[in-house]
Amino acid sequence: MQTNQTIAASERSAPIRARGTGDSGARREQAKLSLVDLTKQYSAGTDPAVDKLNMEIESGHLVALLGPSGCGKTTTLRMVAGLMEPTSGSILIDGADITSTPVHKRGMGMVFQSYALFPHMNVLDNVSFGLKMRKVDREQQRKRALEALAMVKLEHLAKRRVKELSGGQQQRIALARALVVEPTLLLLDEPLSNLDAKLRESMRTEIRMLQQRSRATTLFVTHDQDEALDMADRIAVMNGGLIEQFGAPRDIYRRPRTRFVADFIGRANLLDVAVEAELAPADHGEKLYRIAAPSFGSGGAVGRPGLEGTDTTLVLRPHNLRVRRADDAEEANSLRGTVVSMTYTGDAVGYRVTTTQGDFVAEVTSSSSDLPSAGDHVQLSWDPADAYLLPHEEATGR
Ligand SMILES: Nc1ncnc2c1ncn2[C@@H]1O[C@H](COP(=O)(O)OP(=O)(O)O)[C@@H](O)[C@H]1O
Ligand SMILES: [Mg+2]
């Protein structure tokens, strides 16, 4: 099995169009990737690792496959790469079926978790490998490999042997090696997982810039929600072989469709509430409702039309909660509790507050005056516009 290495197309054939010859700065053709009912069942009688996945990836977009370990991200990527045959379903590029196209004819650049460079070769030879396989002439090979190295800011290490490089440098070489062939599709499987926190963050920006410059349609696998929110044009949140939600990062964060998504993308406080009445129209076609829960008198929240009289889940993001010492004043849109812990994280203060509805997490700016501390009785409050109602039938998932 061909794993853990960059696979460079040695030639292109239909349906993947060849890049313009000669000028490596020329715009290459782009590609829209479609997954249709893509399924992988590793053995009979077991649940599919990937279950009838449907996804359209716009040309030039970076899409993050995000989900917990074992949800089917790598399996999906390997099928797209052609390293693994789907049990059923198909993969299309610009509408043409490539499900049976061999790996080396798919025009893809790949970087896997362990980037396995060729240790006996120097950096330049590693990067130009794909071009050599494609029989690009030697002078062009050298020129383009140096350009790719410049993109990852490592041209000064061209003659260095790979084993003399740090993990972060090797990661970037692997990226250069994938980018040098100007792939139509770029497939990245947790490419930042071996880096320390700081380098990981700067590499996010770099990969994003390189991807935007090359305009390669990109599938980026990660289990890190911050990485996905930071880098992706679209995020596919996966759970148990299924896509729970596919959308723009902001939409997924602001309007999660399921409890799983609400919980997985950013932290969320979830509270069961009954929707009593519709109060007013809200932005984006949503409605403002009056809600009630055993633990608080009354309140408002927004949600899609038609929720009146139903049971829902209220989603409250930690940064949308205010925390103040409790007094006798009755306040709408609030809940009482006791501070369990208080932690400083630079500009913010994180609170864990225990309430009759379970523990809540809140994040407030540390410049706020009179911050409550552990043991204090507090009032957690929020603006109705920041309180989102998740319908229950969707909250139960599939
Ligand atoms: N070669 C394999 N044979 C059998 N089961 C596998 C194989 N590879 C992965 N799986 C199973 O398929 C599921 C999805 O795995 P994977 O795609 O690697 O998840 P992820 O990349 O999201 O962590 C897991 O339950 C995993 O144990
Ligand atoms: Mg994986």
Side-chain angles (χ1 to χ4, degrees):
M1 196 161 50
Q2 223 173 344
T3 60
N4 294 336
Q5 57 178 21
T6 305
I7 289 134
S10 60
E11 64 179 291
R12 295 263 172 83
S13 65
I16 296 159
R17 284 161 266 152
R19 72 185 280 278
T21 49
D23 179 8
S24 59
R27 266 296 315 119
R28 161 179 36 83
E29 304 284 348
Q30 294 186 21
K32 177 168 112 178
L33 175 66
S34 315
L35 310 183
V36 184
D37 288 339
L38 196 62
T39 299
K40 180 70 189 183
Q41 188 174 26
Y42 282 106
S43 47
T46 60
D47 284 341
V50 173
D51 196 0
K52 292 211 172 90
L53 210 75
N54 284 282
M55 191 161 40
E56 293 258 298
I57 301 175
E58 291 303 320
S59 182
H61 266 192
L62 186 153
V63 168
L65 289 182
L66 174 69
S69 179
C71 71
K73 305 181 297 294
T74 294
T75 303
T76 303
L77 205 70
R78 294 176 66 78
M79 287 192 283
V80 174
L83 295 170
M84 182 184 281
E85 206 183 328
T87 308
S88 58
S90 41
I91 302 161
L92 313 174
I93 290 183
D94 289 332
D97 195 320
I98 61 151
T99 317
S100 310
T101 305
V103 180
H104 65 282
K105 293 190 175 177
R106 292 192 185 198
M108 297 178 185
M110 300 177 219
V111 178
F112 288 97
Q113 217 162 331
S114 46
Y115 21 87
L117 298 168
F118 307 117
H120 54 285
M121 293 184 193
N122 70 22
V123 167
L124 193 68
D125 291 341
N126 263 279
V127 175
S128 52
F129 182 77
L131 299 174
K132 192 172 164 190
M133 296 309 287
R134 294 170 77 201
K135 303 192 168 44
V136 170
D137 79 65
R138 285 185 70 90
E139 199 39 50
Q140 277 293 316
Q141 273 181 40
R142 193 185 143 75
K143 181 169 169 281
R144 285 171 61 183
L146 284 170
E147 280 171 6
L149 279 173
M151 279 199 263
V152 297
K153 300 192 186 71
L154 288 178
E155 63 271 51
H156 59 288
L157 297 181
K159 293 292 172 195
R160 204 53 96 67
R161 289 167 79 83
V162 157
K163 62 182 178 196
E164 296 161 16
L165 302 176
S166 72
Q169 288 168 336
Q170 292 188 33
Q171 188 89 72
R172 291 199 233 175
I173 304 295
L175 255 181
R177 190 173 59 169
L179 287 167
V180 76
V181 297
E182 303 198 354
T184 318
L185 285 172
L186 185 59
L187 306 177
L188 307 170
D189 193 351
E190 312 227 8
L192 306 182
S193 58
N194 293 353
L195 309 183
D196 64 57
K198 205 163 171 190
L199 191 56
R200 197 155 61 218
E201 229 164 88
S202 68
M203 282 296 290
R204 276 186 201 169
T205 320
E206 259 173 63
I207 290 183
R208 184 59 169 151
M209 273 166 42
L210 292 173
Q211 186 267 335
Q212 280 175 341
R213 186 155 4 136
S214 75
R215 288 201 256 168
T217 306
T218 302
L219 256 183
F220 183 101
V221 165
T222 180
H223 62 268
D224 182 331
Q225 39 129 339
D226 289 333
E227 217 163 85
L229 287 170
D230 216 35
M231 298 175 66
D233 294 298
R234 295 286 182 276
I235 297 175
V237 183
M238 289 184 70
N239 184 22
L242 300 171
I243 294 181
E244 293 248 345
Q245 191 168 358
F246 183 62
R250 184 180 154 79
D251 291 338
I252 288 193
Y253 182 77
R254 290 194 61 238
R255 295 298 179 252
R257 274 190 40 211
T258 65
R259 278 181 95 109
F260 176 85
V261 174
D263 222 18
F264 198 79
I265 304 277
R267 290 169 308 158
N269 298 294
L270 304 174
L271 184 62
D272 288 330
V273 298
V275 181
E276 293 187 333
E278 186 184 310
L279 297 176
D283 290 347
H284 310 298
E286 294 180 331
K287 305 286 183 189
L288 176 68
Y289 295 99
R290 188 174 71 235
I291 55 170
S295 48
F296 63 94
S298 67
V302 293
R304 66 161 201 223
L307 294 179
E308 196 171 333
T310 65
D311 292 327
T312 61
T313 301
L314 183 64
V315 182
L316 291 165
R317 296 294 184 187
H319 69 268
N320 287 327
L321 291 176
R322 293 182 293 267
V323 185
R324 65 172 182 83
R325 285 200 180 77
D327 52 30
D328 290 340
E330 270 298 323
E331 202 184 340
N333 303 302
S334 75
L335 196 61
R336 285 170 187 247
T338 305
V339 175
V340 181
S341 66
M342 178 200 193
T343 43
Y344 281 97
T345 53
D347 295 339
V349 178
Y351 281 102
R352 179 166 289 277
V353 175
T354 182
T355 77
T356 55
Q357 302 299 299
D359 280 6
F360 275 60
V361 287
E363 201 179 278
V364 302
T365 55
S366 56
S367 59
S368 315
S369 59
D370 196 22
L371 291 167
S373 44
D376 284 352
H377 291 292
V378 293
Q379 190 115 341
L380 290 170
S381 60
W382 57 88
D383 288 330
D386 295 327
Y388 175 64
L389 297 166
L390 200 57
H392 261 183
E393 68 271 30
E394 287 175 14
T396 53
R398 44 195 187 271

